[in-house]
Structure formats: structure tokens, C-alpha cells
Amino acid sequence: MTQFYSEHSKVWLSVDCIIFGFDDGKLKILIGKRQMDPGRGEWSLYGGFVSSDESVDEAASRTLYELTGLRNLYMRQVGAFGKVDRDPGERVVSIAYYALINVNDYEDNLLKEHGLQWVNIEEIPQLYSDHNEMVKKARKMMQQKLAHEPVGFRLLPALFTLTQLQRLYEAVNGAELDKRNFRKRIKEMDYIEKTELIDKTSSKRGAYLYRFNKRAYNEDPNFKI
């Protein structure tokens, strides 16, 4: 280790992960009780410090894998949070990331192992430090992304109904959509493909199941809803 920059004070660097899931028509995030000081016992996002031998992206990917057991998740950087007094322990700058996962892919035993739970985004309690601000910014970014890219399909099962898809958009945006207009626009998109399969869990008549056609989307990048 060199002696360069020894005249400057040191700053700790961490990552915090906002993990979004969609279940029972609600947009949810994973939170848990903080297991270290300062702030032990407070509701918090899951995160960790960046090691000297890894980039911030690598640290976020590692943290997400530790938390979910899943690799190659959809992950995007939210931004840096570095208010001087944001952490009462030390001078810590945190890089926040958000990730999207299918709730059905997440094993319940990991919830118990890490002391986490899914919480409706509209009912988030007060979180440690500036974590509520991180969640708010991440949701806004996801809303913007969803307006021109079909990232929401990462939150859905491989087969879904149009009702499920509409509820996802409504949950992310926090507003109801007109059913007729929504379905009209969806059916005009080649990359949302109707199958011959029918879901009868919600009614006797049932509803057709749809799927995302990635190949068709790649051929038509002008996604807009």
C-alpha cells in the first residue's frame, strides 16, 4: 500500500440494494432489521462495504447474490448518497442499486436466513439513514424505464394474464390505468405474445395467458406505453 493521499481523510464506501418484487398485485421491496451498530434493530435495506479488490458494480452483484442466491439479475445503479452526516458511525458514501426479481424465484429460507421480509412499497416504514430516499429515487427511475423498456417482465412469471400485466404497471406507477386503452396498446405490441393457454384460477371462464417475446422486442426497440 502506497502513502499517496495520506494527507486526506478516509471515507468508507458501501453499496445498498433496493430489491423490487411483484406479488398479489403489489409492488414490494425486501427490507430487514439492521443487525449491526449504529442503527441496530432499525428497518433497513440490505447492503455492505466495497472491498479493496472489487468495483462498486461487483460489490453490488456480490451483495445481491448473497441475498437472493440468484445471478445475472436486472440491476441498475440509482446513484451516490453522500451527505456528511448520513451515517452516525463513520463518514460513509453509499452507491445504491435497484434490482428486479420474480418473487417466485426467491426461496423462503433466505428470508429467514437474512431476517428479511417483503413489504408493500406503499407501506414502507421509516428506514435507517437515507434509505427511504434511495427507495423513492429507485422507484422513479423504474417508472421512467418502464415507460420505454419492457423491464417489468422480469417481475412477472413466464406466463401472465393481461390483468396481471396491468396491475404491475399500476403498482409501479401508483395510479390506475384505463383497462380498455391499456389492452388496446398492449395488443399492438408484437413482443407481447398471446398463447393458447388459459388461466382459470381467477374465474371459471378463465383468461388467456401471454408471454414476452424477447426476439420480437429486439427487432422493435421503440417500446412505449
Side-chain angles (χ1 to χ4, degrees):
M1 184 69 68
T2 70
Q3 297 302 311
F4 297 126
Y5 315 126
S6 59
E7 71 274 20
H8 297 286
S9 60
K10 293 182 179 180
V11 176
W12 295 87
L13 182 62
S14 68
V15 294
D16 282 295
C17 298
I18 304 111
I19 301 179
F20 289 108
F22 180 69
D23 187 39
D24 195 28
K26 306 293 184 181
L27 181 66
K28 300 185 177 183
I29 66 167
L30 274 178
I31 61 173
K33 291 295 184 68
R34 190 170 165 88
Q35 300 177 11
M36 61 184 294
D37 293 319
R40 186 184 298 271
E42 294 182 29
W43 288 108
S44 173
L45 297 173
Y46 191 89
F49 288 99
V50 179
S51 298
S52 60
D53 61 347
E54 63 182 357
S55 69
V56 290
D57 284 354
E58 290 170 341
S61 294
R62 170 180 55 79
T63 301
L64 286 170
Y65 177 71
E66 291 173 355
L67 183 63
T68 67
L70 303 172
R71 296 192 184 278
N72 300 318
L73 292 175
Y74 179 90
M75 179 185 79
R76 291 294 184 271
Q77 189 178 115
V78 176
F81 293 78
K83 291 181 180 179
V84 174
D85 59 350
R86 65 173 300 275
D87 192 304
E90 292 286 352
R91 178 75 168 94
V92 180
V93 174
S94 181
I95 311 299
Y97 289 78
Y98 80 85
L100 310 179
I101 70 172
N102 186 328
V103 171
N104 294 327
D105 292 337
Y106 192 80
E107 299 180 5
D108 288 342
N109 65 303
L110 290 175
L111 289 174
K112 296 179 181 179
E113 179 182 339
H114 296 289
L116 300 171
Q117 66 183 60
W118 288 107
V119 176
N120 182 351
I121 196 168
E122 306 296 349
E123 302 173 353
I124 298 176
Q126 181 60 46
L127 303 177
Y128 175 75
S129 185
D130 50 10
H131 290 188
N132 288 84
E133 183 182 345
M134 293 179 181
V135 173
K136 183 177 180 180
K137 185 174 181 180
R139 185 183 189 184
K140 185 174 182 179
M141 289 179 65
M142 185 166 60
Q143 290 171 347
Q144 295 170 342
K145 183 70 71 171
L146 192 64
H148 58 82
E149 290 184 29
V151 296
F153 294 100
R154 299 176 182 272
L155 298 168
L156 292 169
L159 296 173
F160 52 85
T161 65
L162 290 183
T163 296
Q164 286 176 301
L165 184 60
Q166 181 173 339
R167 286 179 178 172
L168 170 63
Y169 275 83
E170 291 175 336
V172 171
N173 291 300
E176 292 187 7
L177 299 172
D178 179 79
K179 180 177 179 180
R180 181 177 299 179
N181 289 338
F182 179 82
R183 296 195 172 200
K184 180 180 178 181
R185 297 177 74 177
I186 288 295
K187 290 179 179 179
E188 293 173 350
M189 300 174 185
D190 293 337
Y191 35 84
I192 300 178
E193 188 174 77
K194 183 178 180 181
T195 73
E196 297 302 317
L197 301 174
I198 296 179
D199 172 37
K200 292 188 176 181
T201 59
S202 58
S203 67
K204 291 183 179 180
R205 182 180 177 183
Y208 278 103
L209 289 166
Y210 289 72
R211 62 189 172 198
F212 172 55
N213 186 325
K214 184 176 181 180
R215 180 177 179 181
Y217 167 69
N218 290 336
E219 294 173 353
D220 180 10
N222 297 314
F223 181 88
K224 183 71 177 177
I225 183 169

